[in-house]
Amino acid sequence: MVRSGGEPRSAGRAADGTGPVRSRERFLQGEPVEQGVRTSILDSWQRCQTLGLSPDQSDLPFLEDFDPDGRIVRAAVPVLDRLQARFSGSEINISVADAHGTVLLRRFGEASLARKLPAIQRVPGFVFAERVAGTNGIGLALAERQLIRVYGAEHFAERSQASACVALPVRDPLSGRIEGVLCFGYPRGAENPALRAVIRKAARAMERRLLGQSSARERALLRAYLATGAEAAVGLHRGIAVGELAPELSSRDRAALMEKAAELISRAQRAAVDVPLPDGRRITLVSRPMTSTCGVEGIAVEAVLPYSSPQAHLVIPRQVDEVPHLPAELAVVSAGPPAARLSGTPPTGRRPDAAPGRLTAGSKGVTADGAGSADGAGSADGAGSADGAGSADAVDGATGDRPVPSSSGRRLVLVGEPFVGAYALAARRRLELLSEASGRIGATLDVRRTAEELAETAVPRLADFVTVDLSEAVLRGEEATDPLDDLRRTVVHGIRDGLPFTPAGKRTDFGPTASQLRCLAGGQAVLEPDLEAAAGRLAQDPEHTERLPADVHSLIVVPLVARGVVLGIASFYRAEDPAPFGDDDRSLAQELATRAALSIDNARRYTHERAMVLALQRRLLPHGLPDQDAVEVAHRYLPAEADVSGDWYDVIPLSGTRVGLIVGDVVGHGMLSAATMGRLRTAARSFAELDLPPDEVLTHLDNLVGRLDREDPDGEGVGIIGATCLYAIYDPTSQRCVLARAGHPPPALVRPDGEVSYADLPAGPPLGLGGLPFDAVEIDLPEGSQLVLYTDGLIEDRHRDVDAVLDELRGTLAHAERTPEETCQAILDTVAPAHPCDDIALLVARTHALDPGRIATWELPADPAFVGEVRASALGRLADWGLDEAAFAAELILSELVTNAIRHGAGPIRVRLLHDRTLICEVSDSSNTAPHLRRAASTDEGGRGLFLVAQLSRAWGTRYLPQGKVIWAECGLDAA
């Protein structure tokens, strides 16, 4: 069966053989329905079929004992009389049903209809609930809990094909519960769009009358209280006397008193509680039952004011007697503080018929010993005795032998029925829950954690169990596609462990009649007040039904929709509270889900952005280490949990078998930092490959960062760019290392004997400040030493002292026998924070030395006569190394380089051969002039030497020294 989550489908006309007529026939024949029927009607047909209803069924249940004088009837009669007069002479059939679908009242625009229509359409008492009558106005209005129009063949039953109707639930404005349904029935051809406006107006009139009934009952209770004594009436004519308690009370104090008074009324019992105020005073609230002359039962809450000092603590014995004829579950007084938890669900059960007794003028209070004097609980009137005041146990452990102030210290705070108090208290609890949710849900930018926060907020104050199912795409940080196909259980949370729901992490599949699919298809919250009645809807999904806890009786399913996109669903289950979910609970669940959905979408977007930044970051970092023999290297990159920064590292092979090691950290987080990191890493590598010393590389980087900041399109310092950096060059021929840093943490040095120290080199300013110099330091690194470079994310943490972390790092590194890989892992296991707030880049290098037997050096004066001698000595050494195949190229290269040094440079001249992965030829002199490769013309007598060197070598270049330069060239050994 295909369902549409978009705009409602057109209902069509039943007379032309298309629309719902054909769709209904195809549905009854078991064919898929693609178009021509609205989602709500299609869902109802599906439920009817699941319940085993027959379209040919003509009999409906009839109840003879329905209440002909209930609240909904008293509220509806005057409204129906006016409607009957308005529709006089028409074929309108007006009916009112109760919340179970039983028709209580009938009115007809044309009197003759009462004789023409069949009994089920003219006699009150027939039940039109969907579960027994199929798709119809009354039943569908109760199922969908909203305005419903059913036209012709949209009815499931054959008997109603020629009829149309519009129906609307009528709610009690105080409790929000559905009290009944108002329905207009008419022939199929008498469709009138204006009926929707009429039925809404009539339903509002009935709801106002329902509210008036509650107001009349409270006015009766208030009159009964006034009749108990003139003193209580003082100030009462000006309204409820909370303001008369103490003019200096703040609005917060008065709100606390009203909340506690509403809680006492909802408990429906005699009680006394102390309400502490912020200034140290206490006001004692006393609640007692009362009954009006017309039999309305309620509770009066009075405040007993201190009769002496404002700091005096007045003690009134707590009364715990159950009020006669009220539900036993209401007579439980919490022994905890005034803010003890109270269920937000109004008490259930029928209103009692008997009265506990009417308060008389002599009923002024409760005696200190609770013995039951004339100032006790009230006169019996056959319902309760004067000695029914209860025990003498005092509030907060106080004794019961303290005097009670006179009645002049009493003021009325609130009077009302327990049901009304429970509604007021539940409304306040809902507001408190929403307030808490606004600060609790979305505290993190993690999709799963946000879903958990939604469940933790709702349990147990709204539901007993909560499950959250999200699209797999959302969990990955991507846009949700079709949540019907890729839902995955993300959260299972409840009042107890071992829940028999689909566990978190598993894919969730719902049957075709499950409420979750109805919720996703319609895009609206689905309320199932009674899962037993909805068992037929779950029958096609037996596995899901069996997984439900046995005591779960009510369900709300809410779609998680953010910015028009469905991210998943949240299911709220109720088990412990006997009262089912209502429309107020559905609205609350919808509000919680809406807030959570926005936070989940924000977390999804953040996850997506973080994944992009992390992918960019990893893409810009080295994908592999270059081949070189100077150091053995291991590295780690650990992104921050909150956001990705701009940390980087690099290993750069340099001329003369040297290697450059660099670690840097860009200020800030996010895409800008990652992109800036990529630019700096590329620039740093380029500067390093120019064979510049570390301090000059940092100077060039400093100029680059300053230029990037000045070119920032945001301007005015909005996008200030900064970075720290540490650059080291290690030479395996001399086993010495030159380092310089720009505001970066110092490297750790691990000697072969296990001694650990931190290099003492000037900190230098961070990159981007400009105008300040950087100093380089040269240190000895014997073979087997380890050089550990890291970013500040490793040692800086708000919960740890930097010096303590450095000491911890020192202890971790004091194992010279470890390989670089083992050292990296040990550092992350012992030193790195468990939840890093900043990126961590780690680079560990164990030094090697080039065998002196693979180094050949000659010094000669600036005389061409010595060129042949050096060339012969070099060829001999190449023969000793077994590099005869490379001798020809090396001989030509050395001849050209030495000749250029003699002709254009200054003595002394030094020649060096290095046998490593390649054969390196170096010629140095004391001149700072550098040769340049150029293309010589055919008429030129020279200028072809460097061209030959470039053709014969794999790479060549110039390296400057403090005094002079080095011209070098590398020859490959592939042929050797």
Side-chain angles (χ1 to χ4, degrees):
M1 179 96 28
V2 178
R3 305 185 181 190
S4 172
E7 293 296 325
R9 301 165 178 165
S10 173
R13 290 281 179 173
D16 58 3
T18 61
V21 171
R22 179 163 302 180
S23 298
R24 179 175 177 274
E25 292 175 354
R26 294 177 59 189
F27 175 81
L28 294 177
Q29 293 172 4
E31 299 180 10
V33 178
E34 302 289 344
Q35 295 178 351
V37 61
R38 290 174 291 158
T39 302
S40 59
I41 300 298
L42 186 58
D43 286 340
S44 181
W45 289 353
Q46 181 76 41
R47 295 193 295 267
C48 294
Q49 189 178 63
T50 304
L51 291 167
L53 298 180
S54 172
D56 301 326
Q57 180 180 352
S58 58
D59 295 333
L60 294 179
F62 179 78
L63 301 180
E64 296 182 353
D65 59 344
F66 65 88
D67 187 2
D69 192 34
R71 294 187 66 213
I72 187 66
V73 172
R74 296 196 303 273
V77 167
V79 179
L80 263 61
D81 290 341
R82 292 194 295 270
L83 289 174
Q84 185 177 24
R86 173 171 181 167
F87 294 114
S88 177
S90 69
E91 295 182 294
I92 293 292
N93 176 6
I94 308 168
S95 59
V96 171
D98 64 12
H100 303 288
T102 303
V103 175
L104 306 177
L105 292 173
R106 290 283 191 184
R107 293 288 190 277
F108 304 95
E110 176 61 47
S112 61
L113 291 176
R115 297 186 299 271
K116 297 178 181 179
L117 295 175
I120 61 173
Q121 296 185 26
R122 60 181 173 84
V123 178
F126 285 95
V127 180
F128 282 82
E130 185 188 61
R131 67 180 183 276
V132 295
T135 306
N136 68 91
I138 293 176
L140 193 54
L142 289 173
E144 298 290 333
R145 309 177 78 85
Q146 61 182 343
L147 178 68
I148 286 296
R149 170 182 169 269
V150 183
Y151 187 92
E154 290 181 333
H155 290 87
F156 188 75
E158 294 287 351
R159 64 176 179 273
S160 303
Q161 300 299 293
S163 302
C165 63
V166 58
L168 179 64
V170 179
R171 288 179 168 83
D172 184 342
L174 191 62
S175 66
R177 297 183 308 191
I178 293 179
E179 293 289 337
V181 177
L182 176 62
C183 180
F184 293 169
Y186 46 91
R188 189 177 59 198
E191 175 72 16
N192 186 353
L195 289 179
R196 297 192 181 192
V198 175
I199 198 171
R200 290 184 187 276
K201 184 176 180 180
R204 286 196 296 268
M206 294 171 61
E207 290 173 351
R208 286 195 299 269
R209 291 185 57 81
L210 287 173
L211 183 60
Q213 292 179 18
S214 300
S215 301
R217 299 176 69 89
E218 288 199 350
R219 287 195 297 270
L221 290 172
L222 189 56
R223 286 193 297 268
Y225 182 85
L226 290 173
T228 61
E231 291 179 352
V234 175
L236 204 56
H237 298 293
R238 298 189 296 272
I240 300 299
V242 177
E244 301 292 334
L245 293 176
E248 69 276 9
L249 288 183
S250 65
S251 59
R252 179 177 298 181
D253 296 338
R254 289 194 294 270
L257 290 176
M258 291 296 290
E259 178 182 5
K260 181 54 63 177
E263 182 177 341
L264 290 174
I265 290 177
S266 68
R267 292 182 184 274
Q269 63 183 15
R270 301 183 185 93
V273 295
D274 277 356
V275 181
L277 300 181
D279 59 3
R281 294 179 300 169
R282 291 175 179 265
I283 293 181
T284 302
L285 296 182
V286 179
S287 65
R288 49 178 176 159
M290 56 185 296
T291 304
S292 70
T293 55
C294 57
V296 180
E297 295 181 357
I299 299 293
V301 179
E302 299 169 311
V304 183
L305 301 181
Y307 58 91
S308 58
S309 169
Q311 300 295 329
H313 177 202
L314 180 67
V315 177
I316 298 294
R318 190 199 316 256
Q319 309 298 327
V320 295
D321 292 19
E322 180 182 337
V323 179
H325 307 293
L326 287 179
E329 64 267 23
L330 298 181
V332 180
V333 175
S334 172
R341 178 180 180 270
L342 175 67
S343 173
T345 304
T348 58
R350 299 180 61 88
R351 196 175 299 277
D353 298 326
R358 178 180 180 275
L359 288 178
T360 65
S363 302
K364 298 293 182 65
V366 182
T367 59
D369 56 7
S373 65
D375 291 332
S379 62
D381 278 354
S385 63
D387 60 354
S391 67
D393 296 334
V395 178
D396 294 332
T399 60
D401 57 359
R402 298 185 61 176
V404 178
S406 65
S407 60
S408 62
R410 290 183 181 274
R411 295 290 189 275
L412 178 64
V413 177
L414 203 59
V415 62
E417 295 181 86
F419 297 92
V420 178
Y423 297 147
L425 195 63
R428 186 178 187 88
R429 292 290 186 260
R430 282 190 284 269
L431 288 175
E432 291 174 350
L433 184 58
L434 287 176
S435 176
E436 178 183 335
S438 63
R440 183 173 183 179
I441 299 177
T444 64
L445 285 173
D446 181 83
V447 173
R448 287 181 173 81
R449 180 56 194 153
T450 303
E452 291 172 357
E453 290 166 351
L454 168 62
E456 292 169 357
T457 302
V459 175
R461 297 166 66 178
L462 173 62
D464 297 311
F465 307 100
V466 174
T467 63
V468 179
D469 303 289
L470 295 177
S471 169
E472 289 191 56
V474 172
L475 294 173
R476 295 192 301 267
E478 303 171 1
E479 290 282 352
T481 53
D482 186 2
L484 289 172
D485 295 334
D486 66 343
L487 279 182
R488 187 166 294 275
R489 180 60 47 84
T490 306
V491 175
V492 178
H493 184 65
I495 56 177
R496 56 178 179 266
D497 298 329
L499 306 179
F501 294 98
T502 301
K506 298 292 185 180
R507 183 183 176 86
T508 51
D509 296 312
F510 299 103
T513 57
S515 303
Q516 284 79 0
L517 287 190
R518 292 173 56 208
C519 171
L520 287 173
Q524 299 292 330
V526 174
L527 169 61
E528 298 286 3
D530 187 358
L531 281 179
E532 288 296 328
R537 306 178 190 178
L538 303 175
Q540 296 187 25
D541 186 15
E543 182 182 0
H544 178 69
T545 305
E546 291 175 0
R547 285 200 297 261
L548 288 176
D551 54 349
V552 170
H553 60 79
S554 192
L555 167 67
I556 299 176
V557 184
V558 185
L560 297 171
V561 182
R563 301 175 178 92
V565 178
V566 179
L567 309 178
I569 54 173
S571 302
F572 302 83
Y573 298 88
R574 178 167 286 180
E576 297 291 327
D577 193 334
F581 283 127
D583 289 289
D584 288 341
D585 298 312
R586 178 175 61 177
S587 299
L588 178 59
Q590 180 73 67
E591 180 65 24
L592 292 177
T594 299
R595 299 187 183 196
L598 288 174
S599 297
I600 289 173
D601 191 54
N602 289 337
R604 180 198 65 78
R605 291 167 178 259
Y606 167 77
T607 301
H608 179 67
E609 180 180 347
R610 184 177 187 275
M612 292 179 59
V613 174
L614 187 58
L616 175 63
Q617 175 87 335
R618 294 191 182 279
R619 184 66 180 173
L620 294 175
L621 289 173
H623 290 272
L625 298 179
D627 294 331
Q628 47 82 35
D629 294 328
V631 291
E632 178 188 354
V633 181
H635 58 87
R636 294 290 189 276
Y637 171 72
L638 186 64
E641 286 191 351
D643 206 348
V644 180
S645 181
D647 292 18
W648 91 92
Y649 60 88
D650 209 347
V651 178
I652 308 169
L654 301 176
S655 63
T657 69
R658 299 172 307 143
V659 64
L661 306 173
I662 189 168
V663 170
D665 182 5
V666 175
V667 174
H669 299 81
M671 189 72 72
L672 176 62
S673 296
T676 303
M677 178 274 291
R679 300 171 73 176
L680 288 184
R681 175 177 174 256
T682 301
R685 190 177 187 92
S686 300
F687 295 145
E689 288 179 346
L690 292 176
D691 274 330
L692 299 177
D695 53 334
E696 292 189 26
V697 169
L698 294 183
T699 299
H700 285 291
L701 288 177
D702 180 56
N703 295 332
L704 173 63
V705 172
R707 186 164 58 253
L708 291 176
D709 191 43
R710 290 190 298 271
E711 295 173 354
D712 180 13
D714 294 332
E716 299 182 359
V718 175
I720 293 178
I721 299 174
T724 64
C725 186
L726 170 64
Y727 182 40
I729 297 177
Y730 172 70
D731 188 348
T733 63
S734 62
Q735 301 179 41
R736 296 185 66 80
C737 183
V738 182
L739 308 94
R741 60 177 177 141
H744 203 82
L749 307 177
V750 184
R751 302 291 179 177
D753 59 359
E755 178 187 355
V756 181
S757 62
Y758 294 99
D760 185 15
L761 67 156
L767 300 177
L769 294 184
L772 298 176
F774 299 94
D775 297 323
V777 173
E778 187 173 7
I779 59 175
D780 291 322
L781 280 183
E783 183 177 10
S785 300
Q786 287 193 12
L787 183 64
V788 181
L789 287 70
Y790 51 87
T791 56
D792 57 2
L794 177 67
I795 61 174
E796 293 183 3
D797 183 46
R798 69 185 67 178
H799 304 295
R800 302 186 300 174
D801 181 70
V802 174
D803 292 336
V805 177
L806 290 175
D807 290 340
E808 187 177 7
L809 177 60
R810 188 194 306 270
T812 303
L813 295 177
H815 298 276
E817 73 281 359
R818 287 176 176 164
T819 65
E821 283 289 341
E822 293 173 343
T823 301
C824 278
Q825 193 59 46
I827 292 174
L828 293 184
D829 291 341
T830 60
V831 182
H835 304 282
C837 300
D838 194 6
D839 290 12
I840 297 176
L842 180 63
L843 191 64
V844 178
R846 183 193 295 276
T847 62
H848 296 299
L850 185 62
D851 185 356
R854 288 173 170 259
I855 304 174
T857 305
W858 298 274
E859 290 190 5
L860 65 156
D863 185 350
F866 291 92
V867 175
E869 182 179 338
V870 171
R871 186 167 55 230
S873 299
L875 290 176
R877 181 57 62 93
L878 292 178
D880 295 341
W881 289 343
L883 301 179
D884 295 331
E885 296 293 336
F888 176 74
E891 182 180 8
L892 289 178
I893 290 173
L894 282 177
S895 297
E896 292 296 334
L897 295 182
V898 172
T899 301
N900 281 341
I902 294 174
R903 180 178 300 177
H904 304 290
I909 298 173
R910 186 169 181 263
V911 177
R912 188 170 71 160
L913 294 180
L914 302 176
H915 180 199
D916 192 37
R917 291 177 178 266
T918 60
L919 176 64
I920 303 173
C921 304
E922 294 182 346
V923 177
S924 61
D925 62 76
S926 58
S927 171
N928 289 325
T929 60
H932 298 282
L933 180 65
R934 65 184 180 88
R935 186 180 297 274
S938 59
T939 58
D940 292 340
E941 295 183 358
R944 297 177 179 84
L946 283 181
F947 182 79
L948 290 175
V949 171
Q951 296 299 312
L952 294 173
S953 63
R954 299 175 59 177
W956 74 278
T958 304
R959 180 172 73 249
Y960 289 94
L961 303 174
Q963 293 84 28
K965 65 180 183 297
V966 175
I967 310 297
W968 58 270
E970 291 185 5
C971 297
L973 302 180
D974 297 337

